[in-house]
Amino acid sequence: MAQPDSKKIFFENLSGAGKAIAVLTSGGDAQGMNAAVRAVVRMGLYVGAKVYFIHEGYQGMVDGGDNIREATWESVSSMLQVGGTVIGSARCKEFRTHEGRLKAAHNLVQRGITNLCVIGGDGSLTGANLFREEWSGLLTELVEQGNAIQKYSALHIVGMVGSIDNDFCGTDMTIGTDSALHRIIEVVDAIMTTAQSHQRTFVLEVMGRHCGYLALVSALACGADWVLIPEMPPEDGWEEKMCQKLSATRSRGTRLNIIIVAEGAIDRHGKPITSSFVKDLVVKCLGFDTRVTILGHVQRGGTPSAFDRILASRMGVEAVLALLETTANTPACVVSLCGNQSVRLPLMECVQMTQEVQKAMDQKRFEEAVKLRGRSFENNLKTYKLLAHRKPETELNFNVAVLNVGAPAAGMNAAVRSAVRVGISEGHKMFAVSDGFEGFYKGQIKEIKWADVGGWTGQGGSLLGTKSTSPPNQPAKPLADTKALGSALQAFLSLLELLTARGKYDEFCVPMVMVPATVSNNVPGSDLSIGADTALNAITTTCDRIKQSASGTKRRVFIIETMGGYCGYLASVGGLAAGADAAYIFEEPFDIRDLQANVEHLTEKMKTSIQRGLVLRNENCNDNYTTDFIYQLYSEEGRGVFDSRKNVLGHMQQGGAPSPFDRNFGTKISAKAMQWITKKLTETFRQGRVFANTEDSCCLLGMRRRALVFQPVVQLKGETDFVHRIPKEQWWLKLRPLMKILAKYKTSYDVSDSGQLEHVVRNRPKESDASVAM
């Protein structure tokens, strides 16, 4: 429930005047680090603090001099889309000594820096906490030497985890992980085409010396035949089982096999399992043409994904807020992601649990290691096992159908594959419905088998076909059980109609569940939808290219129209990821005065060193202020300072291969939905038939804050604006002030949800698992 305005807390009450904040990146680089640096710098400057770069990590802090430089607003321009870290990262043995930390303290107090934002892994953050704990003693030594002022008696530390391995406990995702998955999946998709051409087996080695997250999730995202990770070594005799699995796959007509190996993979006895060993094994036992591809540092490279830019921007802003609110008694914290929320956790609690994982693995307590990794990791592993390894045939219990409704969305096919294979594993006979509800009432229904959905995870669009028609009043032969994988509000409205029709047709008294799938992300009851992440990446990549097209030319502003119907999610969140100056949406009404203020704001920026501007417009944000109108307005008002260009992104936002996030979100949410179907069918099976006629037997499965929740569709009617086909309350509206702040607009930002230091939870309740972060 929304808080009354009187109880809300706004960050305008938090001032950074008189404070100095330094930001550094340490350890291995990760895509998205620059977005975090940019957010720290701009948020720090916005609240009136001085902000400093520390170049080359802890080495730069120890060496001082030009390695510690004051940052300006313009110094972080054009950083958002750059991979790695532009302020550098380096290992520093000297910082591990008392003398080295004393030098670092001296260099900080010389500039009045008592607030430190560290972006790195658990080693970097542990070092920062030790530095904070020793600060008082270090300062005393410096005062005795006449090199410090006593007023700098406390050092405040906030950490952000930058690591492609996602090996830090306490956060669903670390900065860089999603981008690394993009690199891996791009390679896998490319390899699959050549593997199919020559009927080859490919063994891919991915990073993960101590953590198998990248290997596990990429295996889930591409439907790999086998995966080897350090947290869960295979049982003895795995070599024969793996070869049997590969042989069985080929015998069903599949022309390729994919095996993914984490670089730290081991067997039950601690012996390393290398990619070359796996290749030799397959060649020796099966004679398959087998090749090895070691991805190496390509996984760290390239531009950050939309997810990483948004994550890093949110974390950077939250880190500055945490520094403004900290006191001498506040423990060092790390900004983490839980579900779709930023949270603050005690840094050392996270570090200690991360170290516990390695201890459990060293002591061969592998089941415990998996649990310590967190609910998301554990569910990824369970889902992979469920989908990759077919169970023996069992007695078929029920007939279950799956269909796509509405417009296509990338990730739908991964969701269908998951539903089919989990359904078969649960003992059901699975049916596929072509062309949505139109195909449903026309009888375009056929049985779909395990092998029929092989290779579907990486396919874009909808292989089943999808149309936006609703179920007719006189349905033809309805199946016994129905599962709808819907798009936008069409499936939601259709479920409501089917629910109403139960009074007339007993055939509809069966469990029904909808999984949200739409690029617009406008389904009531769910914070996220399958397909939205792929669309965001398409928008972000296109905006990068469009801005680059103006590099070296005169100053230019680009007006970009995005999809979304009346929902401004793509324009707003895409604007945050692409570094937009403004985003016009239906949910936030605007008039000609707002447009004029935006033009004047951009004009002032263009007169300085900013050369490119970016404005996003949701397609239905206003009937009169069209994309052409806004383009002409900016062109006229910016005359003499900048020129303008426009671009309508159109259906490219719906196309392309699904992102790793959408593949995995679709896979896991659909698996959960199918397990719910099985439970409901079992509960309602009486006297030889299913009869489910309660509200809770017709649900939408959605991600709400930190949880995946089954919600009766009839209860969601009150949360829906049916005229504009959007939810009445939308969580992402809270992110809009971030985009404005980072674009140098004065705005109000509600921080009521921030400021509470939570604690690391070893085992979250099952229903709390949003697993949104893949």
Side-chain angles (χ1 to χ4, degrees), residues 265-279:
I266 56 174
D267 64 17
R268 287 275 159 176
H269 307 288
K271 180 182 176 183
I273 301 175
T274 65
S275 51
S276 58
F277 173 81
V278 175
K279 175 205 167 184

Side-chain angles (χ1 to χ4, degrees), residues 178 181-182 185 217 221 533 658-665 774:
D178 185 67
L181 286 169
H182 273 258
I185 294 305
V217 175
D533 184 72
S659 68
F661 184 98
D662 278 329
R663 298 183 194 201
N664 286 282
F665 186 50
M774 295 179 287

Side-chain angles (χ1 to χ4, degrees), residues 220 232 367 380-390 450:
L220 196 57
M232 187 52 65
E367 295 284 350
N380 279 319
L381 186 57
K382 287 179 180 177
T383 306
Y384 175 78
K385 289 179 178 178
L386 192 63
L387 297 173
H389 304 292
R390 185 173 182 175
W450 185 280

Side-chain angles (χ1 to χ4, degrees), residues 170-193:
T171 184
D172 287 347
M173 285 286 271
T174 57
I175 296 168
T177 303
D178 185 67
S179 299
L181 286 169
H182 273 258
R183 300 294 91 78
I184 295 168
I185 294 305
E186 285 166 8
V187 171
V188 172
D189 286 350
I191 278 176
M192 289 178 86
T193 58

Side-chain angles (χ1 to χ4, degrees), residues 59 71 167 185 197 230 266-267 313 321 347 351 363 366 417 423 426 484 505 520 534 548 573 580 639 686 693:
Q59 188 66 56
D167 56 354
I185 294 305
S197 300
I266 56 174
D267 64 17
S313 297
L321 292 175
L347 190 155
V351 169
Q363 296 170 8
F366 298 113
R417 170 184 176 268
E426 303 265 317
Y505 301 99
S520 302
T534 303
Q548 190 180 44
V573 182
R639 193 186 300 272
R686 296 191 302 271
N693 196 23

Side-chain angles (χ1 to χ4, degrees), residues 444-495:
Q444 295 171 203
I445 305 163
K446 64 178 182 180
E447 187 177 355
I448 187 165
K449 300 288 186 70
W450 185 280
D452 295 336
V453 292
W456 279 34
T457 53
Q459 301 271 0
S462 168
L463 293 174
L464 290 185
T466 173
K467 292 188 178 180
S468 297
T469 51
S470 300
N473 293 327
Q474 299 296 327
K477 306 170 183 178
L479 285 181
D481 317 304
T482 306
K483 178 174 184 291
L485 291 171
S487 179
L489 283 186
Q490 189 61 55
F492 179 70
L493 294 168
S494 300
L495 277 191

Side-chain angles (χ1 to χ4, degrees), residues 243 278-291:
C243 290
V278 175
K279 175 205 167 184
D280 293 342
L281 176 67
V282 174
V283 172
K284 178 182 176 182
C285 296
L286 300 174
F288 290 171
D289 184 2
T290 306
R291 306 296 169 91

